[in-house]
Amino acid sequence: MASTETKADDLAGLEAGLDALDAVQVRRTPAREILLQKVLPPVVAVVLVVLVWQLLVWAKVTDDYKLPPPGAVWDSLTDMWVQGTLLEVIWTSVSRGLFGFVMAVAIGTPLGLLVARVKVVRAAIGPILSGLQSLPSVAWVAPAIIWLGLDDKTMYAVILLGAVPSVANGLVSGVDQVPPLFLRAGRTIGATGLRGTIHIVLPAALPGYLAGLKQGWAFSWRSLMAAEIIASSPDLGLGLGQLLENGRNNFDMPGIFLAILLILFVGIAIDLLIFSPLERRVLRSRGLLVKS
């Protein structure tokens, strides 16, 4: 009797230990740790870049009109802020980029599912999607202007042609990596057709799909900048790409550097505000990231 109770206690202890191993440790990260690990490194990196930049200016490695000092770029930034044009220029490009990206997701997602799940469709247009993804988006600007004219339709057409293949191919890659066991389990419980796609395929393919979305946004943003640089019209308003082109036309290197930095800033901000939280949520849902 005592031996049976001892074995039961051992089994209970073993189960408790396994449960402890499976459990995700939840703790609240101290503010000091957040500052040291997440805030301080990028701040230090930015300071070092600006310092090296200023040292190169002081060392006269090239003419001032080719490499302006950081102070001159800062003056350009403050001038735009005082004039009230800074946020307007940024929003013109960001609103176009986000709206075009949403349209690319709406088109690329069902297209990717169709290519991934229907062999005939994959054989027919799969290689075309891969080819379109490798085609520089700037190649579409000229025909888009001829077809659609100098307005926002041209911008959105260039964005779609650049981003849709990336979103679709990302989803195809994610679906291809879904373990067959998941699909068989779904069929066993009756999750077939559209229900199986929604409840089995898409959740399992989420990491690859999310990677495709990130790449799709990168293509959207780069495509938009190419379109704004080439397509110039008062009806289009002033975006970041046109700001960069205006700096080139006016031989305004501080303005050129400012436009480049703003384009870079928007790309980083979108990643930090949208895609990084999504990635963390997906990883946490799969037990691959410790909650804090």
Side-chain angles (χ1 to χ4, degrees), residues 70-122:
V73 178
W74 177 258
D75 290 340
S76 296
L77 177 67
T78 55
D79 288 344
M80 290 189 66
W81 176 262
V82 171
Q83 294 170 8
T85 58
L86 179 63
L87 296 180
E88 181 181 351
V89 170
I90 294 174
W91 176 244
T92 297
S93 293
V94 171
S95 60
R96 284 175 180 160
L98 290 177
F99 185 68
F101 174 67
V102 170
M103 288 194 296
V105 172
I107 296 172
T109 299
L111 179 61
L113 283 173
L114 192 63
V115 172
R117 303 291 285 172
V118 182
K119 293 182 180 180
V120 175
V121 176
R122 172 175 291 202

Side-chain angles (χ1 to χ4, degrees), residues 142-175:
I145 293 174
I146 295 173
W147 294 335
L148 304 173
L150 285 172
D151 55 28
D152 283 337
K153 293 193 293 292
T154 293
M155 303 294 178
Y156 295 133
V158 174
I159 291 174
L160 291 176
L161 290 167
V164 168
S166 295
V167 174
N169 282 332
L171 183 53
V172 170
S173 177
V175 172

Side-chain angles (χ1 to χ4, degrees), residues 11-35:
L11 182 59
L14 178 60
E15 291 177 349
L18 292 174
D19 291 340
L21 288 174
D22 290 337
V24 177
Q25 299 297 321
V26 180
R27 69 182 182 88
R28 188 174 185 83
T29 305
R32 183 172 180 272
E33 185 177 338
I34 293 176
L35 289 174

Side-chain angles (χ1 to χ4, degrees), residues 38-278:
K38 296 185 177 181
V39 177
L40 186 60
V43 171
V44 172
V46 170
V47 170
L48 288 177
V49 169
V50 174
L51 179 59
V52 171
W53 180 1
Q54 185 63 60
L55 290 174
L56 292 175
V57 173
W58 284 336
K60 300 291 184 181
V61 294
T62 187
D63 298 327
D64 288 343
Y65 74 89
K66 293 181 179 179
L67 182 65
V73 178
W74 177 258
D75 290 340
S76 296
L77 177 67
T78 55
D79 288 344
M80 290 189 66
W81 176 262
V82 171
Q83 294 170 8
T85 58
L86 179 63
L87 296 180
E88 181 181 351
V89 170
I90 294 174
W91 176 244
T92 297
S93 293
V94 171
S95 60
R96 284 175 180 160
L98 290 177
F99 185 68
F101 174 67
V102 170
M103 288 194 296
V105 172
I107 296 172
T109 299
L111 179 61
L113 283 173
L114 192 63
V115 172
R117 303 291 285 172
V118 182
K119 293 182 180 180
V120 175
V121 176
R122 172 175 291 202
I125 68 174
I128 297 176
L129 285 177
S130 299
L132 289 174
Q133 188 174 357
S134 63
L135 182 68
S137 55
V138 69
W140 293 111
V141 178
I145 293 174
I146 295 173
W147 294 335
L148 304 173
L150 285 172
D151 55 28
D152 283 337
K153 293 193 293 292
T154 293
M155 303 294 178
Y156 295 133
V158 174
I159 291 174
L160 291 176
L161 290 167
V164 168
S166 295
V167 174
N169 282 332
L171 183 53
V172 170
S173 177
V175 172
D176 288 345
Q177 296 175 27
V178 175
L181 180 61
F182 288 10
L183 302 179
R184 291 197 296 268
R187 287 193 294 268
T188 301
I189 62 176
T192 59
L194 183 59
R195 292 178 60 189
T197 299
I198 295 174
H199 297 289
I200 304 296
V201 175
L202 281 178
L206 192 56
Y209 180 47
L210 185 57
L213 291 181
K214 287 188 66 174
Q215 192 175 51
W217 162 252
F219 273 83
S220 296
W221 190 237
R222 288 188 296 180
S223 301
L224 176 62
M225 291 303 102
E228 287 186 350
I229 289 172
I230 297 175
S232 177
S233 171
D235 296 334
L236 291 172
L238 182 63
L240 292 174
Q242 189 58 49
L243 180 67
L244 179 62
E245 181 64 9
N246 289 346
R248 185 189 70 84
N249 292 332
N250 298 324
F251 297 98
D252 179 16
M253 284 304 295
I256 291 175
F257 271 69
L258 175 60
I260 292 173
L261 292 175
L262 290 176
I263 292 170
L264 179 64
F265 170 78
V266 171
I268 295 174
I270 294 296
D271 181 73
L272 292 178
L273 295 176
I274 298 178
F275 293 108
S276 290
L278 283 175

